[in-house]
Amino acid sequence: MEDEKIIDLFFCRSEQAVSELSNKYGRLCSHIAIRILSNKEDAEECENDTWLRVWNSIPPTRPQILSAYVAKIVRNLALSRLQYNTRKKRHAPIELLFSELEECLPDSTNVEAAADDTIQQSINDFLNHLDDQTRILFIRRYFCAENVRELAQRFSLKESSVSTKLNRVRQQLKKYLEQEGIVL
């Protein structure tokens, strides 16, 4: 079907307009979305959102080049989804840090325990008894949120050595806090 007839169907609010648009430009939309997102499910969602956007914008808009109009909508939707996905992934390393420390720190749901200065003082005392390199590794990893690769490069160590050191320090911290009478 010609673009002008598809646009006329939109102006008549005929649901056939969406199916005709999908038949004619579905592959174009799918291609654009997959190239941007590299994820089939997200691309399909963008494609479906495109049909809704077109439905809601025609009328009053009467695009001169329907293919360009549809391509612009799907591209913008895919870029928005990519930005959302990327933003979400940026928090993943922080969640990893929390999961690493989960076993050796008190439960944060207990507000009184979390606010207790004795926990902070105990952790500070523990860190003060560590050698300089280990203390700096621990602080840079769990306070500055540096990844293991960066730490390995900074200290001229292998990544496996850094991971092992951090694991041992977490175990030592857990044991130290338990000896101090802090419930984990």
Side-chain angles (χ1 to χ4, degrees), residues 1 59 86 125 144:
M1 183 177 281
T86 311
D125 290 343
C144 301

Side-chain angles (χ1 to χ4, degrees), residues 19 43 81 114 123 160-161 179:
S19 61
R81 174 55 65 117
I123 293 172
S160 61
S161 297
Q179 289 173 348

Side-chain angles (χ1 to χ4, degrees), residues 7-47:
I7 293 170
D8 289 341
L9 287 173
F10 275 105
F11 270 87
C12 294
R13 305 312 287 162
S14 170
E15 291 182 19
Q16 183 187 355
V18 175
S19 61
E20 292 293 336
L21 186 68
S22 176
N23 289 338
K24 188 163 185 179
Y25 295 115
R27 292 180 72 193
L28 171 68
C29 290
S30 179
H31 178 75
I32 291 170
I34 284 184
R35 296 291 292 169
I36 292 171
L37 296 168
S38 301
N39 180 304
K40 185 178 179 183
E41 290 80 19
D42 284 347
E44 287 174 2
E45 190 173 329
C46 282
E47 188 178 338

Side-chain angles (χ1 to χ4, degrees), residues 57-167:
S57 64
I58 302 176
T61 305
R62 184 176 271 285
Q64 291 181 348
I65 304 170
L66 187 58
S67 61
Y69 186 76
V70 170
K72 180 180 177 184
I73 291 172
V74 75
R75 180 182 178 275
N76 288 340
L77 288 168
L79 289 172
S80 293
R81 174 55 65 117
L82 179 65
Q83 183 180 22
Y84 172 80
N85 290 348
T86 311
R87 183 175 42 241
K88 190 166 105 178
K89 288 178 185 171
R90 266 184 276 178
H91 297 293
I94 299 300
E95 290 178 22
L96 175 64
L97 291 177
F98 291 145
S99 70
E100 287 177 6
L101 289 173
E102 206 169 59
E103 293 179 10
C104 60
L105 293 178
D107 184 8
S108 63
T109 58
N110 184 345
V111 176
E112 292 176 6
D116 193 351
D117 288 337
T118 60
I119 296 169
Q120 180 180 351
Q121 187 59 46
S122 294
I123 293 172
N124 286 337
D125 290 343
F126 171 78
L127 292 173
N128 286 332
H129 288 94
L130 296 175
D131 64 87
D132 289 344
Q133 184 186 50
T134 305
R135 181 177 53 253
I136 292 169
L137 277 171
F138 188 87
I139 291 170
R140 291 188 90 71
R141 173 70 175 143
Y142 299 111
F143 184 78
C144 301
E146 287 187 19
N147 66 39
V148 173
R149 178 178 291 138
E150 292 169 334
L151 292 170
Q153 290 173 351
R154 179 182 302 276
F155 291 97
S156 301
L157 298 169
K158 293 180 180 178
E159 289 182 38
S160 61
S161 297
V162 171
S163 294
T164 301
K165 275 187 178 234
L166 291 170
N167 186 41

